[in-house]
């Protein structure tokens, strides 16, 4: 597997300390994580942000289900000799992290679900566009992913336009990858059961203006997770859309660091 | 549909890249006249230096006013981002030095602004970077000039001053087939008339001194990255795909596959060469961009009127303006720039250098100076000014004759412009010994 998986280590390949694994979402790659990943890698954590199969620089066809992606992720960690890790996932990556946490039990020390929703039904029009007209699918995703201010106003990184960056990143993935990812999100039915099996501390970060996975849909996930309410923290970022790492990377970093250092 | 966003160019020109500031709600873009930025704490300071947090450190690298300009031009061009620099020349230099070092090679259109020609012909070879110049309209010439060490193809949307139109889709295909990016100087068309990235260009540069500012008060340059070029797949750009010792072994293309070029250009090029833009200039150029769409429509309308008037005049041998049916690139211009092809043109006076001098000195509204793209109409004689370093042979190849006059048609009332030109043409006729 190691021959085919690309892992971004935030410029600190030799870092030691508790492991934090970042899992990107549909049609993306590791680079969505670079700011929080770099910060944690410089603050006592060993950071890994893999490209899922078929994404970024990882070879192979995309995996067909969230369960398969979770198994792949756990196998990757085992291969890296990692016995315990905190998993942080965005969007589809949050489902992968959730499923992996349920499968792995105590090996997952903490679970951060960013821009999440369980279940995660995907609009049929978007799934069809991902198959038939990628540019249209990318435009739809951007429209639903960025808050109104982020679509036209000031960006988080001076001189860069996150919405165009998102279009270009999605366009770089091979034909069929986004479609497979969206189908996997849509088909994943085991999320609430998985949530009920999670025993580690959980953080949910949501964007107040998220139209892709709106915060108002978080009720059943919260219920499933909060059998032990002291272990669940929910943080809402004002004025933020679904593209949380792109819109408010520093606030996300603060939230992650604050949460992760509490256990 | 442009894939930039759902907004049109007039809206983007007014809004993109700016949000009213959090403290006072200022609607206009504030001029952040500061060299540096107070860090809230040591941890944040270290994180900003190490690209682990966003935010400004020092205005040579980034500045909040400049960032609005950068994001606004990127939105207009459909790029992932941009870098504001001190001049158009600095933009070209930054693009080239980010992509190559000694041993690198550029293939460029030979119909270039004289300053770009100087940089490529005389100055960069001193640093080991050489250029081959080709007829921009000859695809075979572009292909034949490629070498194993070529790293960039470069041309102007409208070749200054012959007004050759660059066939961006064709040259982009030639570049991409060779695993190379295409840089386009879009100064004379501006994003109101042509967005090169939509036609296949990978990088775009502007002398913002011209139409973007429009007022002729500020020199500046912009370099935009389309985010489309795959540096890793190309394998020819170690500056972007291999660890950079000068920034903690950062591999820019791993950090951001889509913005690797911008990261390196800012973290190395701006940091070390230092050709940053003053925030005052950034503000002034932003003021210009707010009305770019409106102004370009008027520039084009006035230019058409002037070109047709000159073409019909007996004292004019020829007019080079791609908006006229007789221009070699008329059909290409209509395809790439359906809203019009700017307002710079050149024409050949009957009577050579003498007639040219008399023409220019008789004008009252057209200002005789070395610039284009001002709201005011401008005129110059390229052979004795902007292109004076070129040999007679090079001049001829660039389409510049002894009697060539270049106009940049401004926003004045068209009747006043025609009256002024007629005054000049009458003087030219007298100088040439004809009766007007
Ligand atoms: C087409 C073109 N490119 C580049 C430049 C150089 O720009 P600047 O004078 O801002 O350095 C100019 C200036 O005349 C130009 O006309």
């Amino acid at each position: 597997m190691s021959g085919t998986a690309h892992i971004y280590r935030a410029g600190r390949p030799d870092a030691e300390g508790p492991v934090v694994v970042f899992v990107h979402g549909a049609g993306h790659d590791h680079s969505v994580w670079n700011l929080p990943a770099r910060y944690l890698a410089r603050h006592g954590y060993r950071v890994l942000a893999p490209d899922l199969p078929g994404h970024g620089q990882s070879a192979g066809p995309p995996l067909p289900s969230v369960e398969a992606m979770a198994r792949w992720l756990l196998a990757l960690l085992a291969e890296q000799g990692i016995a315990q890790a905190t998993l942080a996932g965005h969007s589809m990556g949050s489902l992968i992290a959730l499923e992996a946490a349920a499968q792995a039990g105590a090996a997952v020390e903490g679970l951060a679900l960013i821009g999440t929703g369980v279940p995660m039904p995907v609009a049929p029009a978007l799934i069809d566009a991902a198959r038939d007209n990628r540019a249209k699918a990318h435009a739809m995703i951007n429209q639903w992913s960025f808050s109104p201010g982020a679509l036209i106003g000031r960006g988080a990184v001076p001189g860069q336009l996150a919405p165009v960056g998102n279009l270009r990143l999605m366009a770089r993935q091979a034909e069929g990858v986004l479609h497979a990812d969206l189908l996997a999100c849509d088909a994943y039915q085991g999320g609430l059961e998985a949530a009920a099996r999670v025993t580690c501390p959980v953080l949910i970060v949501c964007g107040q203006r998220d139209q892709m996975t709106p915060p108002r849909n978080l009720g059943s996930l919260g219920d499933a997770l909060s059998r032990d309410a002291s272990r669940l923290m929910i943080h809402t970022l004002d004025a933020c859309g679904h593209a949380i790492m792109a819109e408010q990377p520093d606030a996300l970093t603060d939230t992650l660091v604050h949460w992760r250092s509490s256990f | 549909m442009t894939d930039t966003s759902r907004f049109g160019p007039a809206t983007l020109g007014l809004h993109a890249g700016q949000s009213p500031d959090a403290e006072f709600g200022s609607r206009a873009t504030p001029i952040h006249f500061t060299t540096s930025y107070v860090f809230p704490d040591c941890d944040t300071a270290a994180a900003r230096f190490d690209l682990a947090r966003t935010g400004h450190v020092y205005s040579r690298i980034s500045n909040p006013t400049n960032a609005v300009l950068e994001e606004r031009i990127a939105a207009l061009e459909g790029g992932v981002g941009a870098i504001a620099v001190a001049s158009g020349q600095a933009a070209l230099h930054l693009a080239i030095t980010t992509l190559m070092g000694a041993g690198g090679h550029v293939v460029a259109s030979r119909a270039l602004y004289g300053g770009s020609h100087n940089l490529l012909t005389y100055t960069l070879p001193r640093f080991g970077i050489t250029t081959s110049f080709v007829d921009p309209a000859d695809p075979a010439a572009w292909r034949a000039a490629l070498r194993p060490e070529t790293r960039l193809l470069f041309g102007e949307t409208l070749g200054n001053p012959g007004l050759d139109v660059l066939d961006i889709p064709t040259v982009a295909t030639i570049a991409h087939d060779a695993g190379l990016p295409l840089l386009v100087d879009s100064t004379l068309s501006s994003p109101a008339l042509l967005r090169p990235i939509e036609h296949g260009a990978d990088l775009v540069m502007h002398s913002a001194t011209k139409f973007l500012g429009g007022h002729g008060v500020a020199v500046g340059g912009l370099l935009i990255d389309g985010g489309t070029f795959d540096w890793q797949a190309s394998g020819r750009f170690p500056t972007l795909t291999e660890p950079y010792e000068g920034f903690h072994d950062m591999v820019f293309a791993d950090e951001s596959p889509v913005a690797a070029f911008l990261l390196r250009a800012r973290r190395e090029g701006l940091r070390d060469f230092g050709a940053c833009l003053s925030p005052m200039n950034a503000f002034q150029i932003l003021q210009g961009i707010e009305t770019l769409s409106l102004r370009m429509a008027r520039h084009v309308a006035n230019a058409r009127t002037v070109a047709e008037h000159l073409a019909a005049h007996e004292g004019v041998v020829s007019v080079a303006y791609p908006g006229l049916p007789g221009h070699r690139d008329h059909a290409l211009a209509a395809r790439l720039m359906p809203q019009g092809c700017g307002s710079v043109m050149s024409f050949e006076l009957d009577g050579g250098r003498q007639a040219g001098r008399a023409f220019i000195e008789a004008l009252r509204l057209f200002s005789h100076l070395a610039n284009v793209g001002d709201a005011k109409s401008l005129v110059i004689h390229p052979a004795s000014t902007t292109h004076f370093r070129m040999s007679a042979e090079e001049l001829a190849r660039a389409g510049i004759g002894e009697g060539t006059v270049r106009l940049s048609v401004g926003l004045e009332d068209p009747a006043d412009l025609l009256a002024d030109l007629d005054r000049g043409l009458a003087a030219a006729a007298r100088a040439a010994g004809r009766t007007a």
Side-chain angles (χ1 to χ4, degrees):
Chain A
M1 178 189 280
S2 53
T4 59
H6 175 72
I7 303 174
Y8 168 77
R9 297 171 196 269
R12 291 291 164 95
D14 305 325
E16 293 184 9
V19 175
V20 178
V21 180
F22 288 102
V23 190
H24 66 78
H28 282 164
D29 74 7
H30 69 271
S31 64
V32 298
W33 295 111
N34 59 359
L35 287 160
R38 290 180 72 81
Y39 189 90
L40 266 71
R42 283 151 188 76
H43 287 79
Y45 297 96
R46 179 179 167 199
V47 167
L48 290 82
D51 287 345
L52 290 167
H55 297 70
Q57 297 163 65
S58 285
L63 298 173
S65 68
V66 167
E67 290 86 345
M69 294 185 231
R71 283 193 295 276
W72 177 89
L73 182 68
L74 293 173
L76 181 79
L77 298 186
E79 193 195 70
Q80 295 289 318
I82 292 167
Q84 283 219 306
T86 293
L87 306 183
H90 174 248
S91 202
M92 177 181 81
S94 73
L95 302 182
I96 300 167
L98 172 65
E99 175 64 24
Q103 286 182 17
V108 173
E109 316 174 274
L111 177 64
L113 308 174
I114 300 158
T116 195
V118 177
M120 195 178 281
V122 181
L126 176 56
I127 295 180
D128 290 349
R131 184 193 54 218
D132 303 329
N133 181 349
R134 289 175 68 197
K136 183 175 164 204
H138 299 162
M140 289 165 87
I141 287 175
N142 258 29
Q143 213 56 53
W144 293 331
S145 286
F146 287 91
S147 66
L151 271 177
I152 191 162
R154 182 164 78 86
V157 177
Q160 289 191 31
L161 288 183
V164 181
N166 197 42
L167 293 176
R168 299 290 185 257
L169 185 60
M170 291 188 287
R172 249 164 223 258
Q173 311 311 316
E175 192 73 45
V177 168
L178 179 65
H179 185 240
D181 287 350
L182 296 178
L183 284 177
C185 292
D186 193 59
Y188 180 55
Q189 295 303 325
L192 293 177
E193 254 173 62
R197 275 154 54 206
V198 168
T199 53
C200 65
V202 178
L203 167 71
I204 294 178
V205 183
C206 51
Q208 180 211 6
R209 307 286 305 241
D210 185 341
Q211 298 179 66
M212 197 79 107
T213 54
R216 64 173 182 277
N217 293 351
L218 284 173
S220 34
L221 174 63
D223 291 345
L225 284 167
S226 65
R227 294 192 185 155
D228 182 355
S230 66
R231 314 217 103 199
L232 173 63
M233 178 175 150
I234 299 183
H235 191 83
T236 305
L237 295 173
D238 284 348
C240 191
H242 183 66
I244 292 173
M245 296 84 80
E247 286 195 38
Q248 297 194 19
D250 297 336
L252 174 64
T253 297
D254 289 341
T255 308
L256 283 169
V257 168
H258 175 245
W259 167 73
R260 184 58 189 82
S261 56
S262 70
F263 58 90
Chain B
M1 191 181 74
T2 89
D3 62 1
T4 307
S5 76
R6 63 191 159 152
F7 301 106
T11 305
L12 293 173
L14 286 159
H15 292 277
Q18 195 221 348
S19 307
D21 78 274
E23 199 172 6
F24 302 112
S26 308
R27 180 60 276 191
T29 302
I31 307 169
H32 288 273
F33 248 133
T34 183
T35 57
S36 26
Y37 307 83
V38 177
F39 304 120
D41 50 55
C42 292
D43 182 68
T44 304
R48 283 192 198 164
F49 267 91
D50 218 352
L51 292 191
R53 278 192 190 274
T54 67
H56 303 279
V57 169
Y58 186 65
S59 284
R60 171 156 34 81
I61 314 291
S62 68
N63 169 285
T65 307
N66 294 26
V68 175
L69 173 61
E70 291 162 346
E71 291 167 38
R72 188 158 301 174
I73 192 67
L76 283 164
E77 293 286 5
V80 293
I83 298 188
V85 286
S87 66
Q89 287 298 111
L92 180 57
H93 177 266
L94 181 60
I96 292 172
T97 52
T98 299
L99 295 177
M100 68 193 87
H105 175 252
V106 178
V107 179
S109 157
R110 70 179 175 221
L112 290 184
Y113 163 64
S116 305
H117 187 267
N118 289 341
L119 177 64
L120 295 168
T121 306
Y122 303 110
T123 311
L124 285 177
R126 288 207 295 115
F127 302 92
I129 295 172
T130 54
T131 298
S132 304
F133 293 96
V134 299
D135 175 354
D138 183 355
W142 285 97
R143 256 187 233 104
L146 297 172
R147 300 182 194 160
E149 61 275 20
T150 305
R151 292 292 174 272
L152 182 68
L153 282 71
F154 174 55
E156 293 180 10
T157 54
L158 289 164
N160 174 359
L163 283 305
D164 310 71
V165 180
L166 186 68
D167 186 347
I168 299 171
T170 298
V171 180
T173 302
I174 293 167
H176 298 160
D177 286 349
L180 298 171
L182 170 64
L183 167 67
V184 169
D185 180 337
S186 202
T187 300
L188 292 202
S189 42
S190 95
L193 301 177
L194 174 61
R195 287 174 291 282
I197 292 165
E198 289 176 9
H199 296 280
D202 305 286
L203 302 166
V204 174
M205 60 156 281
H206 285 280
S207 168
T209 317
K210 312 293 183 317
F211 290 106
L212 294 180
H215 31 48
V217 306
V219 173
L222 290 163
L223 179 58
I224 301 104
D225 180 2
T228 46
F229 193 80
D230 191 336
W231 309 106
Q232 272 153 326
S234 164
R236 298 199 182 159
F237 296 93
T239 54
L240 303 181
T241 60
E242 287 174 16
Y244 175 43
E245 226 188 318
F247 204 95
H248 309 296
D249 284 334
M250 183 175 268
V251 178
F252 294 97
D254 195 31
E255 211 57 46
S256 175
V258 299
F261 174 85
L262 288 175
L263 282 175
R264 176 98 188 198
R266 197 182 288 281
R267 297 295 148 185
E268 179 190 58
L270 268 191
R271 183 193 67 180
D272 299 352
F273 298 124
C276 58
L277 183 70
S278 159
M280 185 69 204
N281 286 32
F283 172 81
Q284 286 160 331
I285 293 162
L286 276 166
Q287 294 305 292
I289 291 178
E290 292 201 349
T291 57
L292 180 68
S293 297
L294 281 174
R295 286 187 291 107
M296 290 315 285
R298 169 79 174 215
H299 274 297
V300 164
N302 277 0
R304 280 207 184 108
T305 304
V306 165
E308 284 163 11
H309 184 77
L310 290 173
H313 200 283
E314 57 170 14
V316 174
V317 178
S318 60
V319 181
Y321 181 62
L324 291 179
H327 192 277
R328 160 174 101 163
D329 297 328
H330 178 65
L332 179 61
R335 182 154 58 86
L336 293 184
M337 291 171 267
Q339 292 165 276
C341 40
S343 78
V344 176
M345 66 186 69
S346 60
F347 65 97
E348 192 68 26
L349 274 170
D350 188 8
R353 202 175 271 258
Q354 286 296 99
R357 172 191 293 248
F359 173 81
I360 287 174
E361 292 186 350
L363 295 173
R364 295 181 193 165
L365 277 180
F366 280 80
S367 306
H368 180 204
L369 54 74
N371 194 19
V372 291
D374 197 307
K376 301 174 182 79
S377 290
L378 315 174
V379 62
I380 202 161
H381 181 242
S384 60
T385 57
T386 53
H387 290 67
F388 87 97
R389 281 186 196 82
M390 282 187 168
S391 67
E393 194 189 326
E394 283 173 323
L395 282 174
R397 266 194 313 214
I400 302 166
E402 288 280 304
T404 300
V405 173
R406 187 186 73 192
L407 299 182
S408 174
V409 180
L411 304 177
E412 297 90 343
D413 291 293
D416 296 336
L417 292 178
L418 297 188
D420 201 36
L421 291 170
D422 283 345
R423 189 174 11 250
L425 289 164
R430 280 193 298 276
R434 288 181 287 110
T435 41

